[in-house]
Amino acid sequence: MTEETKAESLDFIREMVAADMKNGTFGGKVVTRFPPEPNGYLHIGHAKAICLDYGVAAENNGVCYLRMDDTNPTKEDTEYVESIVRDVEWLGFPVGDRLTFASDCFEKMVECAEKLIETGKAYVCDLSAEAWEEYRGTLSAPGRESPNRNRPAAESLDLFRRMRAGEFEDGALVLRAKIDMASPNINMRDPVIYRIRRVHHFRHGDKWCIYPMYDYAHPLEDAFEGVTHSFCTLEFEIHRPLYDWVLDNLGFAFPNRPRQTEFSRLNLTGTVMSKRKLLRLVKENFVQGWDDPRMPTISGMRRRGIPAEAIHRLCKTVGITKFDGVTDLALLEFCTREVLNRDASRYLAVLDPLKVVIANFPEEGVEPLDAVNNPEKPEAGSRKLPFSRTLYIERSDFMLEPPKGYFRLSPGAEVRLRYGYFIKCNEVVKDAAGNVVEVRCTFDPATRGGAAPDGRKVKGTIHWVAADAAVRAEVRLYDRLFTTEEPGTESEDFVTELNPDSLRVIEGFVEPALAEIPAGTAVQFERLGYFAADLDTCTDRPVFNRTVALKDSWSKKQ
RNA sequence: AACCCCGUGGUGUAACGGUAGCACAACUGGUUUUGGUCCAGUUAGUCUAGGUUCGAAUCCUGGCGGGGUUGCCA
């Protein structure tokens, strides 16, 4: 064994799976599942679970199902199913025929429920939801037994079948597991496992009027699919005894008994992650949709230009633990820059133009210059870049009175135009208010391409576009959605913490090569950041979403 | 308040009774036709009090701090 082959450390889940494989707990198999409820779009937090579920399966030659946990049709919809499949596939995981629906198992779940009733483990209860509050007890006081608790099995079975047949009003009866009303874990105090709810199901229409509760349905879904390792987030930790109770009382035993393991969800600074809150941002038009580039959704990040690989890298870096922390958004930005620095072609763009006239350059004509597409990736080739007498440069790349350490353009200073020539500023034109509106320069023809044959150096290299050839583009700059690091922690009314400047739309100039760039393409505008071409049918101009700004040590110093 | 889970630099994560390491962030410096990249370096950590042990981030007990649970949501 050489040093390079030194094993990477495993997270606690992968260690557990490795031990299971070694001990043959599940007969040497690994089956996992990613089980979203189709009531919203997937976000970056789900990506962590997806990477874990699919990752552990793949590492052990197992399979992973994408299961729609559609046991409560009130908020579920096919739109969400479709978006979830799209997002999982975009992340690079196969779905295909491994797409399943919990609701397809409803018949088997009813059979199991009847078995629980027959063995005295479940009973039909007529206590209203309000009445139950009193019976349930509190966190510190035990509950009381329902008067229906000892209803004969035959009677419960009959009532349960009539519940299913639609003989009762919504909420009139429920089926409860008979466990322990004195348990310190409230989930074990005779939890509801079936309720009557006449709601149209997006997949089964009005076939069902009883729906199973999560705590009862989930372990069965896992068991029916042959899942071995059922990973979920920390808030389900306290539900695990019930998960186990369902399986134990229906006779599931290893190696055919799934096991639940919890890990901490992903939190990112400056955003919210709960579907309820994200839904509100969409419904109340605080953002333009689930795929708004400011959203922490997978689709939003895709549109923002964040590559799937960056999300993988983030998930790998944050790892899997039970510590409930908050990951700095800077880590996602780092992962994004890392991938984009390698892959994105470089282009020139000017967002806040200042006119530059090259006095000694011919009035007419355009000179095509060679520009390398990506210095990190020679195989990306090069392109032609038009140069002319009138140019635009970034307003911030010129200063009348430059502070110490500023090495861009200023009166008397010489800088390099990227891929172009050295230019020197000779004259400044101001308007009546004293604002600089034009800079007059001379260029050195010997420095074509950006190198001086006499070996003289310039410290600054600035970007530019030829005024006549440049293309108008809409550039969208995004900032964090919220002003606070952890929005919503202080007040439930988290929308009061929304950042009013989270979207800035700018009319800028880009070089002509970008006129017809395909949507989704990631590019770097030198010195400005990474951008993703957007397909926005509301505008006839190319649109760019800024994925992430470049690191900028100069402006940070100021 | 009862029960469960979790506490390692500012942040995220390693070390599985034997040298506290990595990454991000921050800060220096070097290279550079992007103030990007790349390279080198600096700052900074085991919540706390006991106990077990030759030896504790790791095991035990108490305290403190954080999170979760009182849906006929998932």
Side-chain angles (χ1 to χ4, degrees), chain A residues 65-187:
Chain A
Y65 294 101
L66 172 59
R67 178 168 74 223
M68 297 299 152
D69 206 4
D70 54 349
T71 57
N72 179 11
T74 34
K75 294 172 292 178
E76 298 162 1
D77 194 73
T78 32
E79 175 201 349
Y80 299 125
V81 174
E82 285 160 12
S83 75
I84 288 167
V85 172
R86 194 184 320 131
D87 290 346
V88 171
E89 288 182 332
W90 177 75
L91 282 172
F93 299 108
V95 176
D97 60 356
R98 298 229 221 279
L99 172 64
T100 63
F101 293 80
S103 58
D104 290 353
C105 296
F106 280 174
E107 196 64 56
K108 278 161 87 178
M109 289 181 195
V110 165
E111 285 170 26
C112 288
E114 295 193 348
K115 206 176 292 177
L116 286 177
I117 295 169
E118 285 160 2
T119 55
K121 300 284 175 52
Y123 62 95
V124 171
C125 180
D126 63 12
L127 253 28
S128 68
E130 304 76 59
W132 181 253
E133 270 182 47
E134 188 214 328
Y135 282 87
R136 184 196 51 217
T138 67
L139 287 174
S140 48
R144 268 165 49 215
E145 296 189 350
S146 160
N148 303 309
R149 201 169 201 258
N150 296 311
R151 191 193 292 281
E155 194 181 314
S156 278
L157 190 57
D158 176 59
L159 286 171
F160 181 60
R161 287 179 175 161
R162 287 161 61 194
M163 279 167 66
R164 177 183 176 174
E167 287 187 32
F168 305 102
E169 294 292 297
D170 284 14
L173 296 175
V174 293
L175 182 67
R176 292 186 181 282
K178 189 194 283 188
I179 308 179
D180 178 9
M181 289 308 293
S183 172
N185 181 351
I186 295 191
N187 293 293

Side-chain angles (χ1 to χ4, degrees), chain A residues 313-379:
Chain A
R313 287 181 186 221
L314 175 77
C315 291
K316 190 173 179 187
T317 306
V318 299
I320 299 293
T321 65
K322 298 182 83 139
F323 178 69
D324 188 22
V326 184
T327 297
D328 196 328
L329 190 65
L331 192 56
L332 205 216
E333 294 180 344
F334 168 77
C335 293
T336 302
R337 288 194 195 99
E338 210 179 13
V339 172
L340 259 20
N341 178 57
R342 184 195 64 198
D343 295 340
S345 287
R346 274 65 167 168
Y347 289 93
L348 297 182
V350 172
L351 303 189
D352 184 12
L354 173 63
K355 192 173 171 186
V356 170
V357 176
I358 313 294
N360 57 340
F361 195 85
E363 294 269 358
E364 299 298 321
V366 161
E367 181 182 2
L369 299 168
D370 289 311
V372 174
N373 289 336
N374 185 348
E376 307 289 323
K377 206 181 195 176
E379 67 270 27

